[in-house]
Amino acid sequence: MTDVRLIRNFSIVAHIDHGKSTLADRLLEITGALSRREMASQVLDSMDLERERGITIKAHAVRLTYRARDGQEYQLNLIDTPGHVDFSYEVSRSLSACEGVLLVVDASQGVEAQTVANAQLAMRHQLAIIPVINKIDLPGADVETTRRQIEHALALDPADALLVSAKQGIGVEDVLEAVVRRIPPPKGSLQAPLRALIFDSWYDAYRGVIVLVRVVEGSVSVGTRIRLWSNGQVYTVEDVGVLTPKSVSTGRLRAGEVGYIIANIKRASDTRIGDTITDDDQPSSEPLPGFEEIKPMVFAGLYPVEASQYEGLRDALEKLRLNDSSFVHDPETSVALGFGFRCGFLGLLHMEIIQERLEREFNLDLITTAPSVRYRLTTKSGEVLFVDSPTKFPPLGDIAQIEEPIITAMIMTRAEYLGGILALVEEKRGVQKGFEYIAADRVLLTYELPLNEIVLDFYDRLKSVSRGYASLDYHFSGYRASDLVKVDLLVAGEPVDALSFICHRDHAQARARALCERMRRLIPRQLFEVAIQASIGSKIIARENVAPIRKNVLAKCYGGDVSRKRKLLEKQKEGKKRMKRVGRVDIPQEAFLSVLKVGS
């Protein structure tokens, strides 16, 4: 049994691609958790997608044993967190399981938006922060400028920053020594009733749900009857152990330790991140603070290209839900696209990952409708509704007020690209909340922006206007009333539900015209004229016509009276009118695929 004073629980946080996973690899290598033969790059990133994109999607925990320079042997619990803004709640819960963090900053890129957000998150959790300046071996590394940015943007002492090259292994030993010296040991009584924090879970086909926990107080061992605080379900613990990163059964976890629990839990959705586990026989009087339900932020429809793949898509979503309880799906039907599912995601990256996993792992071809957000509607009768799809909107006359979700965004950029970025956020209806220079040529902008303005093309345009030098971090900050309208697309008088969208009244006409123009080019010509219209309620705000295919009825007229030609043209005109009344327009699948591509 390790003395609690020799335990250190810490996490590594950083902006994307600042070398977090590489540093974790070096720590595993130096402490001997894996032999050189077993080592692989990004060893904690188990998914193919994580390795390909160079990002961490799931949180991971690993126990390291380190003999420090003072001769003591320490137990280090490293909790590797996701790096993207979509998974910020998971990061927040992972930090709740720690007493300190390594804040990694790239020496060539400096402090970025997510570095600031992660530092503020660590400060809110009152954690010890050890700044680590990584990639000092790169030709473009500027250590002094990075130190100044750490001081100005993060309010940390730059003298405490460690200089490291995780790739070359330079300075990694100093990182371990700093963890031992600067991060306090865990608090928590072994005699108190059990309270353990869930910070991750996944489904194993043979053993059920495996739950990663930090035991805050008390202890848990094989045979303990545990209760999940949020839903009151009771299970008997079948196995308890730690990850080194291989799973090693220990039979018991005590206050201050991090490990896994297996208790024959059938669904990952029952074990919610941030929930408290307590002993059913001697329950704690209150749960650990900070738990909240994970709420999806971005919604989109997923439809199979082939109708025969619907059953396969349903089974694939059920299997994926076992491992990722943060996304939700409900069946929905579209007149244009047939049977599919309305899915809720944490953000755009999360949506992209889920779609890619469905297509890769389950061999499906999917159409994704344009992403939307969840609006809060107040009807004239006083009822409050949450609506995540334009097709579910009540009639315009019944709505008293529409509120849209607002985010607080932090944008870090070089001063030379400021003009283009300010123009972009103004166009997206941004309200400036902060503007500060953190270095001579680095600016931190804080803006309030409507979430529906950033789900389509904001990130791409931000990267393009800043030539890739701007970084973005955001968090949800509430709802705000806005002048929003639902725009319907009508083809030959029939509404096409899959192409309806919600936008601000000022932008409705421009977007409607662009959509009508695009559909005009995509819908094949018929024997009669096809009107493509966009409407707000009963008011038409844009229109395009698809010209009919005409037979040249005058070809056989050579000479003769003009009345004969007129008679033939009038006869053709009557036929076209009759055809227009009874004709139906089938919109080809290619038209939907082209228009519904995310960001189009």
Side-chain angles (χ1 to χ4, degrees):
M1 175 179 169
T2 307
D3 184 343
V4 73
R5 288 172 298 181
L6 300 178
I7 297 174
R8 299 289 183 271
N9 298 321
F10 70 101
S11 185
I12 306 177
V13 292
H15 187 77
I16 295 168
D17 207 28
H18 277 207
K20 183 161 63 77
S21 294
T22 313
L23 181 59
D25 288 353
R26 291 294 82 74
L27 296 179
L28 262 66
E29 203 173 90
I30 285 178
T31 53
L34 289 175
S35 66
R36 191 170 285 279
R37 183 174 60 82
E38 293 171 304
M39 278 304 294
S41 61
Q42 293 172 259
V43 76
L44 293 182
D45 293 344
S46 49
M47 267 188 254
D48 288 344
L49 269 172
E50 291 183 308
R51 291 171 185 277
E52 282 172 27
R53 289 168 175 251
I55 56 174
T56 302
I57 295 165
K58 292 291 284 173
H60 302 274
V62 61
R63 177 181 287 192
L64 311 171
T65 304
Y66 174 63
R67 185 168 291 283
R69 289 169 190 161
D70 61 8
Q72 293 278 14
E73 196 167 85
Y74 289 86
Q75 181 196 112
L76 310 181
N77 292 308
L78 160 61
I79 297 163
D80 190 27
T81 57
H84 197 273
V85 60
D86 285 7
F87 309 108
S88 57
Y89 176 66
E90 283 189 36
V91 176
S92 145
R93 294 302 85 209
S94 295
L95 294 187
S96 298
C98 302
E99 278 75 38
V101 294
L102 298 176
L103 183 68
V104 180
V105 183
D106 187 327
S108 59
Q109 293 179 28
V111 170
E112 298 280 6
Q114 236 172 306
T115 320
V116 178
N118 285 328
Q120 288 174 353
L121 200 57
M123 286 168 187
R124 277 204 296 277
H125 285 88
Q126 297 179 336
L127 304 182
I129 301 173
I130 302 173
V132 176
I133 299 176
N134 190 23
K135 305 190 185 181
I136 58 167
D137 58 314
L138 291 183
D142 187 346
V143 174
E144 287 313 308
T145 301
T146 308
R147 280 188 198 272
R148 284 197 295 274
Q149 289 175 8
I150 286 172
E151 186 176 18
H152 292 136
L154 310 177
L156 297 172
D157 187 350
D160 291 342
L162 303 173
L163 302 183
V164 169
S165 167
K167 198 165 189 179
Q168 304 292 336
I170 301 165
V172 179
E173 188 90 33
D174 296 335
V175 172
L176 288 165
E177 284 296 321
V179 167
V180 167
R181 282 198 324 275
R182 298 197 216 168
I183 293 176
K187 298 184 180 79
S189 165
L190 189 58
Q191 281 69 45
L194 169 67
R195 287 202 301 172
L197 172 77
I198 299 175
F199 63 87
D200 197 19
S201 66
W202 66 89
Y203 183 79
D204 183 281
Y206 301 103
R207 311 185 76 184
V209 177
I210 298 173
V211 186
L212 283 186
V213 296
R214 152 75 194 273
V215 181
V216 178
E217 287 178 332
S219 66
V220 59
S221 49
V222 174
T224 304
R225 280 168 54 79
I226 57 169
R227 188 200 304 163
L228 302 179
W229 200 283
S230 64
N231 52 25
Q233 294 187 9
V234 178
Y235 301 95
T236 303
V237 175
E238 294 181 349
D239 188 18
V240 173
V242 297
L243 299 171
T244 68
K246 299 186 285 285
S247 54
V248 176
S249 185
T250 59
R252 191 177 183 198
L253 286 174
R254 299 170 182 81
E257 293 188 318
V258 174
Y260 68 82
I261 294 175
I262 297 172
N264 201 21
I265 302 169
K266 297 287 191 295
R267 294 175 307 195
S269 53
D270 290 342
T271 56
R272 297 162 184 172
I273 290 174
D275 198 2
T276 303
I277 290 177
T278 190
D279 191 322
D280 189 49
D281 300 325
Q282 288 181 293
S284 172
S285 59
E286 58 177 10
L288 294 163
F291 171 69
E292 58 184 70
E293 291 278 346
I294 299 185
K295 294 184 183 73
M297 299 283 284
V298 174
F299 295 82
L302 288 180
Y303 293 85
V305 171
E306 301 292 331
S308 58
Q309 288 190 327
Y310 175 75
E311 298 288 331
L313 175 59
R314 188 183 61 199
D315 294 345
L317 287 170
E318 287 296 337
K319 284 176 184 167
L320 215 52
R321 176 109 172 95
L322 285 173
N323 265 330
D324 188 349
S325 55
S326 57
F327 99 98
V328 294
H329 64 278
D330 294 303
E332 76 167 358
T333 319
S334 159
V335 177
L337 300 171
F339 293 101
F341 292 89
R342 189 82 187 161
C343 299
F345 309 93
L346 296 176
L348 285 178
L349 177 79
H350 190 218
M351 178 175 113
E352 218 177 295
I353 287 162
I354 294 287
Q355 188 186 344
E356 204 162 324
R357 286 186 70 184
L358 287 168
E359 290 180 342
R360 273 192 196 189
E361 294 171 26
F362 302 97
N363 206 21
L364 297 167
D365 286 326
L366 300 173
I367 299 173
T368 309
T369 63
S372 67
V373 297
R374 181 176 272 164
Y375 300 94
R376 188 161 68 189
L377 273 61
T378 309
T379 61
K380 288 185 175 168
S381 61
E383 188 185 358
V384 176
L385 307 170
F386 285 91
V387 180
D388 56 49
S389 168
T391 54
K392 296 176 187 168
F393 260 62
L396 207 59
D398 297 349
I399 302 171
Q401 179 177 268
I402 304 176
E403 293 170 281
E404 60 183 341
I406 300 296
I407 57 154
T408 301
M410 283 193 292
I411 301 168
M412 187 84 75
T413 184
R414 289 188 178 180
E416 61 199 274
Y417 305 117
L418 202 52
I421 291 173
L422 290 174
L424 174 64
V425 288
E426 292 297 326
E427 181 195 323
K428 296 292 185 182
R429 299 189 283 129
V431 177
Q432 193 178 105
K433 292 290 174 188
F435 183 114
E436 64 174 304
Y437 278 85
I438 60 161
D441 63 336
R442 302 272 288 188
V443 183
L444 175 62
L445 302 171
T446 309
Y447 266 83
E448 274 189 357
L449 286 156
L451 182 60
N452 68 350
E453 292 286 356
I454 74 159
V455 295
L456 278 176
D457 60 350
F458 181 78
Y459 193 68
D460 291 344
R461 286 182 61 189
L462 178 68
K463 285 293 180 190
S464 131
V465 86
S466 67
R467 298 187 186 170
Y469 281 109
S471 59
L472 167 75
D473 189 274
Y474 63 85
H475 61 266
F476 174 68
S477 57
Y479 281 88
R480 186 168 70 200
S482 191
D483 187 12
L484 300 171
V485 290
K486 175 190 172 189
V487 179
D488 290 306
L489 191 87
L490 306 144
V491 175
E494 293 287 320
V496 182
D497 56 353
L499 297 178
S500 300
F501 62 90
I502 312 288
C503 76
H504 195 270
R505 193 181 294 274
D506 295 350
H507 300 167
Q509 198 156 10
R511 278 189 65 183
R513 277 186 185 155
L515 184 59
C516 288
E517 167 64 27
R518 193 155 185 191
M519 287 302 286
R520 181 181 64 76
R521 295 199 303 270
L522 293 167
I523 292 176
R525 291 171 70 188
Q526 313 287 321
L527 288 168
F528 53 92
E529 184 182 69
V530 177
I532 300 165
Q533 298 163 307
S535 70
I536 298 172
S538 56
K539 182 186 175 187
I540 304 297
I541 58 167
R543 174 174 175 141
E544 292 283 343
N545 294 329
V546 180
I549 301 169
R550 287 177 181 274
K551 181 183 174 186
N552 186 2
V553 290
L554 303 180
K556 58 189 175 185
C557 293
Y558 44 94
D561 189 51
V562 71
S563 59
R564 190 173 165 218
K565 292 182 183 178
R566 194 172 290 128
K567 186 180 170 186
L568 286 169
L569 288 170
E570 288 298 325
K571 191 178 175 186
Q572 186 188 38
K573 197 173 172 183
E574 283 301 313
K576 296 284 180 197
K577 260 190 198 169
R578 197 162 54 247
M579 204 179 275
K580 191 173 182 177
R581 278 202 306 274
V582 298
R584 282 189 72 254
V585 180
D586 285 325
I587 303 171
Q589 196 80 320
E590 294 74 43
F592 282 111
L593 282 168
S594 174
V595 171
L596 292 177
K597 272 185 188 142
V598 174
S600 296

